[in-house]
Amino acid sequence: MGHVNPSALAAYLKSRRDRIRPADVGLPTGPRRRVPGLRREEVAALAGLSADYYTELEGGRGAQPSAQVLAALARALRLTGDERDHLFHLADRPLPPAAYGPTAHVQPGLLGLLDRLTTTPAQVITDLHEILVQNPLAVALVGRPPARTGPRASLVYRWFTDPESRTLYPPEDHPHHSRVFVADLQAVAAKRGGDAEVTGMVTALRKRSEEFAALWDTHDVALRRSDHKRIVHPSLGVIELDCHSLFSEDGRQRLLWFDAPPDSEGAAQLRLLSVIGTQDMTPSEPPA
């Protein structure tokens, strides 16, 4: 980090922010908007950063963003591949692999579709189930991913190593999700040609999880193209939804969205979810 130019980085971020219109990212224009593009706090929210931190970055006050922060900013500002590379250059960060990991650049076609999905939860993930970007309803439904790097950024890895990750689904559904995760990973391993990232994850999971090892040895192979899920929401209870996947051309990224049949309880819960957002509506414990 010896060649960071904070003022150049700040100017570049501001120039990219100014060109994005609120409607481009699913935000209302509003009558009192005094800037041509997004507000600083809007960029921060889209990137999952604090408004103070982003203000420090754009103010050129010496902040040194990580690769993960830069990738999140590239998505929030809808940067092209060349623009994203320039952002990393200004921050004196080496470019991460283009296709894989939580810092991967979201493929423009998937990101464009995500921008238009404003009434249903949707997110873009990698083929190893690392969340790249979410719309507000997806955050309200499944929460933000933990700030993890390496294998732990993958929900598949956490599913078999961290019991907390399983609280998203009812316990009686866990065997189903375990089988689907492993069959999907088998298919991804074949498509990637046994690269080091997948091989290392499989080796680690076989050592850490007897359940994973047993399922892996069944050799079931199936990409997870669609599924019926019951998601445990802290305020709305169990929400029964259908999950659909749209794959990028190379199969390395997926756009997931959730919906429910019209007039179903799940559809009503989704409408309520759009109202409460990320508020915690569970009653607090009375004082002792």
Side-chain angles (χ1 to χ4, degrees), residues 113-129:
L113 284 172
L114 180 69
D115 288 341
R116 289 160 176 78
L117 293 174
T118 58
T119 60
T120 192
Q123 57 191 22
V124 178
I125 67 171
T126 70
D127 55 357
L128 293 182
H129 295 258

Side-chain angles (χ1 to χ4, degrees), residues 14-253:
K14 184 178 185 306
S15 72
R16 300 304 88 186
R17 174 170 66 86
D18 286 346
R19 70 174 186 168
I20 302 292
R21 298 297 178 263
D24 296 338
V25 293
L27 294 174
T29 301
R32 297 186 178 181
R33 186 171 291 272
R34 288 183 280 180
V35 295
L38 298 180
R39 301 185 180 101
R40 288 179 174 179
E41 58 268 25
E42 290 170 337
V43 174
L46 289 168
L49 307 174
S50 73
D52 288 344
Y53 180 76
Y54 180 76
T55 298
E56 183 178 326
L57 273 180
E58 205 179 284
R61 293 197 286 273
Q64 297 183 338
S66 66
Q68 199 120 358
V69 166
L70 293 171
L73 285 171
R75 293 167 200 142
L77 294 168
R78 301 313 190 247
L79 301 187
T80 65
D82 292 338
E83 290 171 333
R84 175 246 198 187
D85 292 353
H86 186 61
L87 178 65
F88 273 71
H89 168 71
L90 290 175
D92 194 33
R93 289 288 186 185
L95 286 174
Y100 301 127
T103 56
H105 192 52
V106 181
Q107 300 201 12
L110 298 185
L111 192 56
L113 284 172
L114 180 69
D115 288 341
R116 289 160 176 78
L117 293 174
T118 58
T119 60
T120 192
Q123 57 191 22
V124 178
I125 67 171
T126 70
D127 55 357
L128 293 182
H129 295 258
E130 300 152 321
I131 293 178
L132 298 178
V133 61
Q134 300 169 286
N135 69 7
L137 276 176
V139 175
L141 179 65
V142 301
R144 295 191 186 278
R148 305 279 178 84
T149 58
R152 293 182 303 166
S154 165
L155 176 57
V156 177
Y157 186 86
R158 296 196 307 274
W159 181 261
F160 291 101
T161 61
D162 179 8
E164 182 68 22
S165 68
R166 299 196 173 200
T167 59
L168 185 62
Y169 302 115
E172 57 269 28
D173 296 351
H174 291 178
H176 164 76
H177 291 294
S178 294
R179 290 193 300 271
V180 171
F181 274 137
V182 174
D184 186 84
L185 185 58
Q186 286 271 18
V188 170
K191 285 181 174 291
R192 284 206 191 183
D195 71 5
E197 185 179 23
V198 176
T199 301
M201 179 179 292
V202 171
T203 300
L205 286 175
R206 287 182 67 91
K207 290 179 179 178
R208 295 196 58 180
S209 170
E210 293 182 2
E211 180 191 19
F212 176 87
L215 289 170
W216 189 261
D217 289 340
T218 65
H219 303 289
D220 290 338
V221 182
L223 285 174
R224 192 177 206 171
R225 293 182 171 87
S226 63
D227 204 355
H228 189 75
K229 295 185 176 184
R230 298 192 303 154
I231 294 176
V232 179
H233 188 271
S235 302
L236 301 178
V238 176
I239 307 177
E240 196 162 343
L241 300 169
D242 294 315
C243 177
H244 310 278
S245 298
L246 177 66
F247 291 72
S248 62
E249 187 174 355
D250 61 10
R252 294 171 178 174
Q253 294 181 10

